[in-house]
Amino acid sequence: MSQIQYFLGGNTPSGFYSLYHELSHPDRMQALYILKGGAGCGKSSLMKRIGRHAQAAGLATVTVPCSGDPGSLDALILPQLAAAVVDGTAPHVVEAKCPGAVERYVDLSRFYRREELQSLKGELLAAARAYQGHYKRVYRCLGAAGALRQDIYESVSAPAVQQKLGKRAKGIISRELKKDSGGSGQLSQRFLSAVTHQGYVTLWDTVSAQANRVYEVHDRYGLAHHLLSPILTAALASGHDAVACPDPMAPDRLAHLILPGLSLAFVTCVPERTWPRHSYRRLRLDAMLDPDACQISRPKLRFTQKVVDALEAEAVSGLEQAKEAHDALEALYNPHVDFEGVYQTADALAQEILDLPAVLT
């Protein structure tokens, strides 16, 4: 539906990590529509339909795919109208902060044909339990992988290395952030990458749509945060808007940074996931490590990385099984949903949204 996409939730070592609160800023948003309703009731279909209406009207859209199933939408953002539609059900629960003036709840559960579903209650409960059960194993595997990733990071992240990265960041700041934009320096947090049933997915097109100059940062050990964090701080202080993208396997650390107003981005790459286009500059962070210390630690690091890879592969397998279970759950519900009513609601909401005054051109 659009080139710009972000994840607002991630499957992480600590479980589901939500950034959906980023949409709950009444001072920034003109209208936020919070969808409520269970599996198979048409939430994603409704958002896709509204997105098509918006694009037909010439509006830019930002789509938020589901981290469990990137083919499904969890939110639709219309920046020019400061409006959004979001799936506000678990695990990414969103609640109103300024109901009526900004947020509106949309109950799609009313389109279930309740009398038809009564006889399926046992099957529905069993399918829901199967779906939830797969996620328990997924998070156990990601938790173990995250702990070992942290072990790798601590093995190489010496103070001297962090100082080198800080020095390199100062050089980039001096070169790239020379002018004060005079802006407010608004920060947005988004996941650019996610662990999904399709594997580790990174939304590279989102970077290309916003940046002509891309620093390709090669980092096998989770060190990029020490380079990107001071650049982010300096950009915000200079009034530049920034999109900070955490690492889904370590959400407390930055993995990518986009500065749309400067058409500049920094993307972290590993050998199996490299920036697929021409890069403005390449940085190899492992070159900043102490070679003697790396030589001593290399056997342990290689072994640990192999275990991490195996655990993450098992997590992806679990997500594949969860996707199959969720599809089975939706297949039970779908024949008993009034989709014509869902589509009529989508058309009415689209018209309501398109009638909003533009706040961004």
Side-chain angles (χ1 to χ4, degrees), residues 275-320:
W275 170 244
R277 299 174 180 84
H278 175 72
S279 56
Y280 173 62
R281 279 193 168 88
R282 288 192 181 94
L283 302 176
R284 287 185 58 245
L285 300 195
D286 57 346
M288 299 185 184
L289 303 180
D290 182 329
D292 293 333
C294 280
Q295 186 65 34
I296 295 170
S297 302
R298 186 162 286 119
K300 182 184 80 169
L301 293 174
R302 283 179 177 170
F303 171 78
T304 306
Q305 188 61 54
K306 284 181 180 179
V307 178
V308 167
D309 292 343
L311 286 165
E312 292 181 357
E314 189 63 24
V316 170
S317 177
L319 287 168
E320 291 174 350

Side-chain angles (χ1 to χ4, degrees), residues 1 6 8 20 23-24 29-36 42-54 61-65 73-79 81-89 92 94 102-108 342 345-354 356:
M1 289 175 59
Y6 289 108
L8 280 176
Y20 282 84
L23 298 180
S24 303
M29 299 298 292
Q30 182 172 201
L32 177 61
Y33 296 82
I34 303 172
L35 307 182
K36 296 293 185 178
K43 299 186 293 294
S44 179
S45 297
L46 178 142
M47 286 185 276
K48 289 178 180 179
R49 192 174 178 97
I50 292 174
R52 289 191 290 271
H53 280 293
T61 60
V62 176
T63 54
V64 178
L73 281 192
D74 276 349
L76 170 72
I77 305 169
L78 305 176
L81 300 178
V85 186
V86 59
D87 177 354
T89 58
H92 34 73
V94 177
V102 176
E103 299 97 346
R104 171 184 163 187
Y105 289 106
V106 181
D107 178 18
L108 296 187
V342 173
T345 299
D347 294 341
L349 289 177
Q351 189 58 57
E352 187 175 319
I353 293 169
L354 294 176
L356 293 169

